[in-house]
Every structure is written in C-alpha cells, then in structure tokens.
Amino acid sequence: MADYFNAQELHQMVEENRRVAHYGEVASYIPELQHADPERLGITVVPLNGKPITAGDCHLDFSLQSISKVISLMVALSDNGFERVFSKVGMEPSGEPFNSISKLETVENHIPLNPMINSGAIAVASLIKGESVDLKFEKVLEFIKKIAKNQGITINDKVYRSEMETGDRNRAVAYFMKSTGIIEGNVDEALDLYFRLCSISVTCHDLAQMAAFLANDGIVPGTHDQLIDVEIIKAVNTIMFTAGMYNESGESAMRTGIPAKSGVSGGILAVAPGKMGIGIIGPAINKKGNSIAGLRLLSNFSRRFGLHLLA
Ligand code: GLN
C-alpha cells in the first residue's frame, strides 16, 4: 500500500483543487472560525499497512466541529448500547441543513433524524456517561488522543468561548428536545459537552489517524486493542455514509463512495474500510457547510485510487 500512491501525485491533486476554494467561504457564524485562510488545502492519508503521506497545508490545527459527532456516537453507543441510543436519535438522512429545527417538531416522537446533525448530536452528547461535564469531556478527549495516537490533543478555548457566545440556535434545539423528553438529564450540561467537543483542536494527520481506526474495525492500527466493538464501527461508518455531509450526503456518497464526516471549520474525515483513513482541511465551505475544495479533492482521490465501495 505504501507504493500505492506517492507524495508528488498527492501534491498535484491538492494544487489542482485549491482553486475551487474561492467558490466557498470560511464560516463566520462562529466568529473565531473566520480567521482561517480560505485558500488553505491539505490532505493526510494513513494506510492501514504503510506510512502516512501528507500533501498541502497540513501543519496548522483547526477545530473538530461536527466531526466530533462521530466520536460522541462511538462513545455513547459503548456507554448505552444500540437500543437506548436509537430510542433517542434516528438513523435516517435528514435532507435538511445541519442546524435545522423544523423537522424536530413534525417527526415521529420528535426524535432527531440522525446523530450527524446538531439536534441528533446534542441528544447523543446527553447520553454520554460520567459524573460531571468535566469528567465526561476528559473521557472523550482521552479516547480521541488514543485513536489519533496523539497525546497533545486539547481544546481550543477561544473557539469554545465563541461557540458558547453564539450557540443560541443549538440551545433552542436542545431545550425543545428537553421539552419532548428526548433529553432527560441536564440540558445545559449536554450543550456544554457538545460545545467543548466541537472545539477540540486537531490537524489533518489526527483526522486521518482517527479515520484509520474506523477503517480498521475499531482497532488502533499497529496495536491489537479492540477499543470499540465492530458492530458499533459498522453502524458509525454507515451513518456517516448516509448522513455525514448533511444535505449533501447523497451527492457525496455518489462521488466519493466512502463514509465521510465534515465540520464547518472545513475538516473532512473519510474512511476507506480495510484500506486507509483520510484527513482533509479546506476552510472555505459551501452553503451546505462542507469544505468545497476538500470534497472535490476527496472525490478525485477516491476515483484515482478506486476507493468507491459500490464500484
Ligand atoms: N459547532 C458547530 C455548530 O454547532 C458545528 C456545526 C458543524 O460543524 N456543522 O453549529
């Protein structure tokens, strides 16, 4: 797999896709995110048996944002099992923007459609077990450090404060879910945990390592530790495939053919099961909240290396 692709070719792909970034914009509704360079584009690939390869601007960090939803789902499923989690959140693509409120009122039993949109992820965060928000956060952060093989990962306090200051829509969604019984515990704690998880700072390399864990059936590549049950990994990959890119999930699944999760900071985590993990950053996002150059780079990469799962 190491000779499968070379850094030179990857570099060329990055440069070819960088120019589409100007069709998008850096997210500004969380003020701290607007400082990112829209022209930035980088990719790291971690093959399951080979050395990581990086091209483009991968040295700077960025916040996980919605990519944290994948991690919370793994932890909540491990803590509670399938039955409890999927009594509070659905498994269907929403076809709605990531921060949509509207369907929560009309959908059966007011269950958020899936764990990859904000409502579903806040419901999932409310299920993570621990004595306090601090301990819950520490537990999830430790898990991230393990699967990313990076003990240095930490929260970006500025992003966290920015999320807290501007998170009223998420509060509205969470309080609505409290009123319908989807959130049972302390709603402010669930929100706080959600905001903190969105604010964790990573690089493309961290994303690619995490994706490699998901590509490797829940075992950190190079170890023998089954950290997460295979059934959970299968479920998380499937939900990413059908709902990971919000209301662009169908198109993304068609073009890239692999499970992927985006965040509004422009990160994409993509999983080629049994083959590799991919991490991308491209802060200019489209109207649906996905990295515009990043998504194009991912589909070119997938096509070039035959990753499409249904091909
Ligand atoms: N923290 C962001 C929010 O809650 C995450 C959204 C995203 O990445 N799509 O709005």
Side-chain angles (χ1 to χ4, degrees):
M1 184 76 73
D3 305 330
Y4 192 42
F5 41 76
N6 61 54
Q8 179 67 32
E9 188 174 3
L10 210 53
H11 179 77
Q12 209 173 324
M13 273 187 191
V14 168
E15 293 315 318
E16 277 164 16
N17 285 290
R18 200 189 287 278
R19 64 194 155 81
V20 305
H22 71 268
Y23 292 114
E25 267 175 43
V26 169
S28 57
Y29 77 100
I30 300 171
E32 201 46 41
L33 300 184
Q34 71 193 351
H35 308 305
D37 172 8
E39 296 272 304
R40 193 174 151 204
L41 186 62
I43 179 170
T44 299
V45 181
V46 172
L48 295 189
N49 37 35
K51 286 204 194 84
I53 300 189
T54 283
D57 315 313
C58 286
H59 50 289
L60 295 172
D61 52 12
F62 51 92
S63 50
L64 265 182
Q65 295 302 330
S66 282
I67 299 170
S68 65
K69 293 167 178 165
V70 173
I71 312 294
S72 321
L73 182 59
M74 281 192 265
V75 176
L77 282 168
S78 290
D79 279 0
N80 300 276
F82 279 74
E83 206 174 315
R84 171 128 178 92
V85 170
F86 290 113
S87 70
K88 298 289 184 187
V89 66
M91 313 174 183
E92 301 302 334
S94 81
E96 295 278 312
F98 63 85
N99 57 2
S100 170
I101 299 180
S102 59
K103 281 204 178 159
L104 266 184
E105 201 181 7
T106 51
V107 92
E108 201 183 348
N109 298 329
H110 304 297
I111 292 176
L113 279 162
N114 68 67
M116 303 285 112
I117 51 176
N118 290 11
S119 52
I122 297 166
V124 165
S126 78
L127 294 169
I128 291 174
K129 293 190 173 161
E131 297 285 302
S132 64
V133 188
D134 285 345
L135 290 174
K136 290 178 195 178
F137 176 71
E138 278 309 315
K139 177 171 97 172
V140 182
L141 184 62
E142 280 311 310
F143 174 62
I144 290 178
K145 288 178 183 174
K146 252 192 216 159
I147 67 172
K149 292 190 174 175
N150 179 0
Q151 285 303 309
I153 295 179
T154 176
I155 189 168
N156 180 327
D157 284 317
K158 280 190 183 161
V159 173
Y160 171 57
R161 277 197 298 274
S162 205
E163 297 257 357
M164 291 286 270
E165 277 160 21
T166 56
D168 289 334
R169 199 178 171 104
N170 287 324
R171 288 188 187 94
V173 164
Y175 274 91
F176 183 80
M177 292 193 291
K178 175 78 180 167
S179 79
T180 56
I182 296 296
I183 293 184
E184 289 177 27
N186 183 316
V187 65
D188 291 314
E189 284 192 9
L191 277 162
D192 191 8
L193 182 59
Y194 171 79
F195 289 136
R196 290 194 208 191
L197 295 174
C198 287
S199 310
I200 290 173
S201 196
V202 293
T203 62
C204 285
H205 191 267
D206 297 326
L207 286 189
Q209 285 287 356
M210 291 190 236
F213 170 78
L214 282 153
N216 199 35
D217 290 340
I219 300 170
V220 177
T223 74
H224 298 286
D225 303 338
Q226 185 82 50
L227 294 186
I228 295 283
D229 192 273
V230 181
E231 286 304 313
I232 294 179
I233 301 293
K234 203 161 72 181
V236 170
N237 282 340
T238 309
I239 289 176
M240 264 201 280
F241 194 53
T242 56
M245 312 299 270
Y246 320 114
N247 42 341
E248 201 172 11
S249 297
E251 183 169 345
S252 167
M254 192 184 82
R255 291 192 194 284
T256 71
I258 54 173
K261 182 76 204 83
S262 63
V264 283
S265 52
I268 301 178
L269 170 154
V271 180
K275 291 185 178 159
M276 65 186 82
I278 301 160
I280 292 178
I281 180 65
I285 57 174
N286 62 19
K287 295 241 160 22
K288 295 181 173 168
N290 300 318
S291 170
I292 193 155
L295 197 48
R296 196 161 177 271
L297 174 61
L298 183 63
S299 42
N300 289 358
F301 182 83
S302 171
R303 183 181 295 259
R304 167 67 183 85
F305 297 106
L307 301 182
H308 203 297
L309 292 171
L310 306 177

